[in-house]
Amino acid sequence: MDFALNEEQRILRGQILRFAQDKLNKDVRQRDRDQVFQRELWGACAQMGLTGLPVPQAYGGPGLDSLSTAIAIDALGYGCEDSGLVFSICAHLLACVVPIWKFGTEQQKNRYLPGLCDGTLIAANAMSEPESGSDAFAMQTRAEPHGDGFLINGTKTFVSNGPVADVAVVFAVTDRAKGYFGGITSFLVDRALPGYRVAQKFEKMGLRTSPIGELVFEDVFVSKDAVLGGVGGGSRLFAHSMDWERACLFASHIGTMERLLEKAVAYTRTRRQSGQAISKHQAVAHKIADMKMQVEAARLLVYKAAWGLERSQSVSLDAAVSKLFVSESLVRTTLDVVQVFGGYGFLSEFEVERAVRDAIGSKLYSGTSEIQRNIIAGWLGL
């Protein structure tokens, strides 16, 4: 494996860095405070190809390979201080667009992918439920045969992009007797359909510019053409999308960690205590060294998992390892940066306190840290 960036990847990284720094960071503090999702910024990101990175050009995307997709998201995380916007883009792309591209029929691809790639459509993944949480086996949402399609009934919660989504990838039980592996089906459900309702938008600690909420489906009729990945294929589709999400979404956190590292280094060189820069204090320098180690290790793990998406039948182990390490390293890095900044790190006018709030969720979404440890243990035969 050679993870040295080729010329195209270096150009791509530079373009996204400059775009994010120039266009996406205005009024970040205010947007975070007010929980504002800006559709115009979404459109700008779409023009850069960020909402459809790996999608083939025939369907409206740039057609990047999986490793280049991770490199692009890494650059976005570094350049964009609005982690909520980055998260929304990744949730849209990796948990919705990729499954449509990988599992959709030609009709579904032609109907949805161009709009999802050019920014006119926003997608949400509706898997979690109020009672089941991480236990997909306890899913209560049902899709029952009705005429030439299905009637969907149920409630989904913690749906990223839910309040603003135009289409949702909805998972429902179609045959409880077959259990999770064969009894779950995914559907493409348009927001305009009767019975589709945004029940509420949640207020949250971090990633506040990424809207999240609860979706309710009350006798929502979808035709058989809305089935994504075949009846009973929902678990396989979900597992595949989670591999992409764990491998590529967390690339954005590497960019965030690297930006915070550079911010901490610059601060320690100018902040003086006891007559010298605090960078000369071993306790401070060791924190900085640990941050650098975590960034480098995280990047290798994520790039390895992303590289494997197109070269292996399953990257679930690599994706779980990288997700677990990156999420816990991100939280640790943000807390260490606050410690380095001292009292200034506790003030809202600096990015670092917001970075802590944004980081906490990384140990929860895409499967909690405990779930990742279960996956790793399972692969080890434990």
Side-chain angles (χ1 to χ4, degrees):
M1 293 175 287
D2 181 5
F3 297 139
L5 273 60
N6 60 37
E7 184 63 21
E8 290 183 356
Q9 290 168 336
R10 284 194 293 271
I11 292 172
L12 172 70
R13 178 177 174 79
Q15 288 175 335
I16 293 175
L17 278 176
R18 290 189 295 273
F19 160 74
Q21 290 169 338
D22 293 344
K23 304 295 184 182
L24 303 182
N25 293 333
K26 183 180 179 181
D27 301 326
V28 174
R29 284 173 53 203
Q30 189 65 43
R31 281 188 275 125
D32 174 78
R33 184 178 297 116
D34 297 338
Q35 299 191 85
V36 174
F37 172 82
Q38 285 195 352
R39 191 85 187 223
E40 63 217 60
L41 294 181
W42 182 274
C45 290
Q47 289 182 356
M48 283 294 295
L50 295 169
T51 50
L53 288 168
V55 177
Q57 294 180 4
Y59 301 113
L64 299 184
D65 61 81
S66 56
L67 178 57
S68 295
T69 295
I71 290 167
I73 294 174
D74 181 346
L76 179 64
Y78 178 91
C80 180
E81 297 177 10
D82 184 351
S83 295
L85 176 61
V86 176
F87 182 80
S88 273
I89 289 171
C90 290
H92 160 97
L93 174 65
L94 303 169
C96 304
V97 175
V98 166
I100 296 172
W101 163 45
K102 290 290 189 178
F103 294 89
T105 63
E106 280 301 309
Q107 179 187 22
Q108 290 170 335
K109 293 177 186 179
N110 288 319
R111 178 180 177 184
Y112 289 104
L113 289 179
L116 292 169
C117 291
D118 70 18
T120 56
L121 296 178
I122 297 176
N125 180 290
M127 180 64 159
S128 296
E129 297 186 358
E131 299 299 323
S132 62
S134 297
D135 182 9
F137 290 91
M139 184 182 299
Q140 297 300 309
T141 298
R142 295 189 59 83
E144 298 178 337
H146 183 83
D148 195 32
F150 296 84
L151 280 180
I152 300 176
N153 283 280
T155 299
K156 298 293 184 177
T157 195
F158 303 135
V159 182
S160 297
N161 295 339
V164 297
D166 303 289
V167 59
V169 177
V170 179
F171 293 83
V173 176
T174 46
D175 189 342
R176 193 167 297 280
K178 293 183 178 180
Y180 180 68
F181 300 103
I184 304 294
T185 302
S186 59
F187 299 87
L188 291 169
V189 184
D190 294 338
R191 182 188 184 119
L193 290 175
Y196 180 123
R197 179 165 57 90
V198 179
Q200 60 179 316
K201 176 183 176 182
F202 298 131
E203 182 169 346
K204 50 185 175 169
M205 176 173 67
L207 302 173
R208 289 168 59 85
T209 59
S210 174
I212 187 172
E214 186 173 85
L215 300 181
V216 174
F217 304 93
E218 297 173 332
D219 286 336
V220 176
F221 176 78
V222 294
S223 71
K224 61 182 181 182
D225 293 335
V227 173
L228 180 63
V231 175
S235 60
R236 182 171 67 96
L237 183 150
F238 182 72
H240 186 82
S241 68
M242 284 299 98
D243 284 347
W244 272 82
E245 190 166 286
R246 290 165 185 159
C248 294
L249 162 60
F250 289 81
S252 71
H253 300 333
I254 301 168
T256 300
M257 290 164 62
E258 188 167 32
R259 185 180 68 250
L260 291 171
L261 168 63
E262 293 177 1
K263 187 185 289 284
V265 168
Y267 180 78
T268 60
R269 286 173 175 168
T270 57
R271 173 72 165 141
R272 301 186 67 81
Q273 193 174 64
S274 303
Q276 62 179 348
I278 63 172
S279 61
K280 300 301 181 182
H281 294 257
Q282 190 178 70
V284 174
H286 282 186
K287 285 188 182 297
I288 300 294
D290 285 344
M291 291 178 208
K292 176 62 174 175
M293 177 179 63
Q294 288 159 10
V295 167
E296 295 300 324
R299 180 166 283 124
L300 288 173
L301 286 171
V302 166
Y303 283 14
K304 178 188 176 186
W307 177 86
L309 285 168
E310 294 174 345
R311 293 169 175 83
S312 174
Q313 289 187 339
S314 176
V315 298
S316 297
L317 175 59
D318 287 343
V321 169
S322 65
K323 190 275 181 190
L324 178 62
F325 183 84
V326 175
S327 62
E328 300 203 343
S329 295
L330 174 66
V331 172
R332 188 159 54 247
T333 294
T334 59
L335 290 173
D336 282 347
V337 173
V338 169
Q339 196 73 19
V340 167
F341 272 70
Y344 292 106
F346 203 64
L347 302 181
S348 60
E349 65 183 279
F350 294 89
E351 180 192 3
V352 290
E353 69 84 22
R354 187 174 72 250
V356 175
R357 291 189 284 105
D358 290 342
I360 296 299
S362 68
K363 297 173 66 174
L364 304 176
Y365 52 71
S366 305
T368 64
S369 291
E370 291 75 16
I371 291 293
Q372 305 314 307
R373 288 184 167 90
N374 285 346
I375 292 171
I376 295 167
W379 275 92
L380 296 175
L382 303 178

